[in-house]
Amino acid sequence: MPDAIQWVKKDPNKEDVFWPTAELKQRTWVSDEAIYDQANADPEAFWAKHAEDLHWFKKWDKTYEFAPQAYKWFIGGKTNLSYNSLDRHIEAGKGDNIALIWEPEPIKEEAVKLTYKQLHERVCKFANALKDLGVKKGDAVGIYLPMIPEAVIAMQACVRIGAPHSVVFSAFSSESLRDRMVDCGAKVIITADGYYRRGKPINLKKSADAGVEDSPVKKVVVVKRTGAEVPMTEGRDVWYQDVVANASSDCPAEQMDSEDLSFLLYTSGTTGKPKGIMHTTGGYAVQAYATAKWNFDMHEGDVFWCTADVGWITGHTYINYGPLMNGATTLVYEGSPDTPDTGRFWAIVEKHKVTQLYTAPTAIRMFIKWGDEWPAKYDLTSLRLLGTVGEPINVDAWMWYFNVVGGGRCPIIDTWWQTETGANMVNNLPGIGPFIPAIAGRPFPGVLGDILDSGGTPLGPNEGGYLAIFSPFPPALTRGIYGDMDRFKAQYFAEYGPERYFTSDGARRDEAGNIRITGRVDDVMNVAGHRLATAEVESALAQNDKVSEVAVVSRPHGLKGEVPVAFVLLRGGIEPSDDIRKELMATVNQVIGPTGRPDQIVFAHDVPKTRSGKIMRRVLKALVRNEPVGDLTTLQNPESVDQLKELVRHQE
Ligand code: PRX
């Protein structure tokens, strides 16, 4: 074991503020504080400099242009995400470096390693197969795949030919799949027969089949993973292994305009209907590349492990595009962290000599519960840097991650960002620091942002407000909601106008400008790092015909961060029972998937309403959190509140 690094403490009174060591400063890409002033004085020049590292078929004519809800980056430039992820490294003579390591869940199966050349060949073959299936530039393609190499291959193949992908998390229900395919009009989807989860084969094809019914999907490509017997629909379904078998491995990358759509990713807004977040090619590529490089101190030869699923933005940017554009090795793990035992993550770190680990606070809290003995069994000294994402991290989880996983040697990079931002936005840099438990840090250089009050006035240190991002917007920021630009405007630019993006996150900063994210200020929950609207759970429950009215609010949870709590009014004559509770849970499972399952269902006779009949979710939220319910004078039925207090306690 190397000696634990002496962390420099600039201020001896601040024991928990960590600064980079001299060794880290020397090794990493940027360690001079001046970068902030330079980049923020001229964000266009800053991002353009990163853009120059990438390959452009044609260089851009203009760096940035602003118009309300129509800001653009690298205007007139032509590039391709897949070319930058693969061909660029092969041309530089690095084609034999390992691009991807796949660790299957069953331990008896061998890990798969693909070099950049091999990954390139597979991507090209599949891209040609997609063309043979009729996919053209601009056509949306659905991807409903588990954590197997083909997930990365399929995404790369789509962007290679200019067909925007729309990845749907494999644990999402068939209904979620259908809604998304209908919305984006995908005619082709890629799925698998199944995958392994907690030692058991899961049948994914069944959900895919149900999901493509009554959707525009005409062709289903099925990757053979588990070898399970699955029905194949004649004329619609084809095996992935068959279509790539004879496909040519020559597939020049399409020259995409910077502003062309590279992918859509659906995420929860405040309504029941998820929105298709649109990401471009040039701007997205540049920020994905630059943030992966600087935030995670990424170098060739690094084995970078982002434990998110490819179905989330974190998987898009930091499993696939970010590490590959940097020529690093990305690790993809198929299964569960507790199979065959709760040491699996650490076994993987040791086996593949993972250099950077990027995971979520929910996972860290779970590891703490499982006990220090699990990480202690393995050699984790290959780790140089740790990342966290997805939800606010608590101090205890941070310290445990730092000491037990990082051995006190690794900086923790706490990255705040969103599906909409496409790439990291707020976090301190490894060579500059500081690393402070539960504090994300400063906006990335070139990202202009501040904490504002509700009227848009910037707030001083330690004053709670809302985080906003200013124009020139960072290049990866979404360009809109697919098919609903009115919603785009209303959601992000109604608050502070077109030049200030409203994040929906509460935040405050210290005197040095380090930002603490306090969480969503809208009706979006963060359940075990999964983003979910309370309205989605409500509309799922409302599909059960025993339900007459329903309201869902979030409640803090020790392990998962937040969980949904549902207040349900049953139709006349129906008595609450455990069977109905189970049935309602099953309804949520079917409509959303397990992520949406309420932690508690409270059967009520009445819920607090305003005189105009609107459910007062604010009061319900206070009730489940044991907080003061506040002013009830505007309610039509204030007596409902006391009754509910009892019910919440008794129906735990
Ligand atoms: O509330 C913030 C929280 O996750 C939300 C975005 O969720 P999603 O679009 O699913 O993307 C998650 C992965 C980028 C944000 O509005 N969030 C994300 N990262 C952090 C965070 N909250 C606190 N600290 C973070 N590091």
Side-chain angles (χ1 to χ4, degrees), residues 7 9 38 75 142 169 215 298 305 332 481 529 533 597 616:
W7 286 89
K9 293 197 172 93
Q38 279 164 21
I75 300 125
F169 179 34
S215 86
M298 203 179 278
W305 185 15
V332 176
I481 296 175
R597 287 167 58 102
M616 287 283 274

Side-chain angles (χ1 to χ4, degrees), residues 525 534 551-555 563-567 617 620-621 624:
M525 299 174 277
T534 51
V552 172
V553 293
S554 67
R555 174 167 62 200
V563 286
V565 175
F567 290 83
R617 289 180 178 74
L620 295 175
K621 206 166 170 176
V624 301

Side-chain angles (χ1 to χ4, degrees), residues 403-626:
N403 288 317
V404 179
V405 179
R409 301 180 323 276
C410 308
I412 293 186
I413 309 300
D414 177 357
T415 58
W416 173 89
W417 58 299
Q418 307 174 308
T419 306
E420 291 87 339
T421 72
N424 298 160
M425 298 285 276
V426 177
N427 57 264
N428 279 340
L429 292 166
I432 297 177
F435 317 112
I436 314 171
I439 291 185
R442 280 179 286 181
F444 191 82
V447 172
L448 307 182
D450 207 348
I451 318 279
L452 308 179
D453 71 9
S454 52
T457 306
L459 293 171
N462 304 313
E463 292 184 319
Y466 309 105
L467 177 64
I469 307 294
F470 306 159
S471 177
F473 291 126
L477 187 69
T478 177
R479 302 299 194 267
I481 296 175
Y482 189 69
D484 200 348
M485 290 306 272
D486 289 342
R487 193 174 171 196
F488 182 52
K489 183 175 173 186
Q491 176 75 41
Y492 308 102
F493 303 104
E495 229 72 25
Y496 300 134
E499 291 182 64
R500 295 189 295 180
Y501 168 92
F502 177 65
T503 63
S504 299
D505 271 300
R508 59 176 184 271
R509 63 181 161 76
D510 64 14
E511 287 77 10
N514 292 302
I515 296 173
R516 178 193 291 270
I517 305 291
T518 49
R520 300 284 299 200
V521 294
D522 55 6
D523 290 322
V524 170
M525 299 174 277
N526 214 317
V527 183
H530 296 165
R531 177 166 160 182
L532 195 68
T534 51
E536 278 174 86
V537 183
E538 287 175 1
S539 67
L541 285 164
Q543 288 192 23
N544 187 302
D545 54 18
K546 297 199 173 74
V547 172
S548 98
E549 243 182 311
V550 54
V552 172
V553 293
S554 67
R555 174 167 62 200
H557 185 273
L559 207 57
K560 297 180 179 172
E562 275 184 306
V563 286
V565 175
F567 290 83
V568 171
L569 276 64
L570 294 171
R571 284 194 193 284
I574 302 177
E575 284 302 312
S577 69
D578 276 347
D579 282 347
I580 297 188
R581 193 170 267 128
K582 277 190 200 130
E583 190 183 319
L584 294 178
M585 291 289 188
T587 305
V588 177
N589 248 352
Q590 189 205 329
V591 180
I592 302 176
T595 7
R597 287 167 58 102
D599 188 58
Q600 186 184 4
I601 294 179
V602 180
F603 290 115
H605 299 294
D606 207 1
V607 284
K609 285 185 181 160
T610 60
R611 297 219 170 87
S612 57
K614 251 183 99 185
I615 300 179
M616 287 283 274
R617 289 180 178 74
R618 169 182 71 72
V619 174
L620 295 175
K621 206 166 170 176
L623 270 180
V624 301
R625 290 163 188 243
N626 262 327

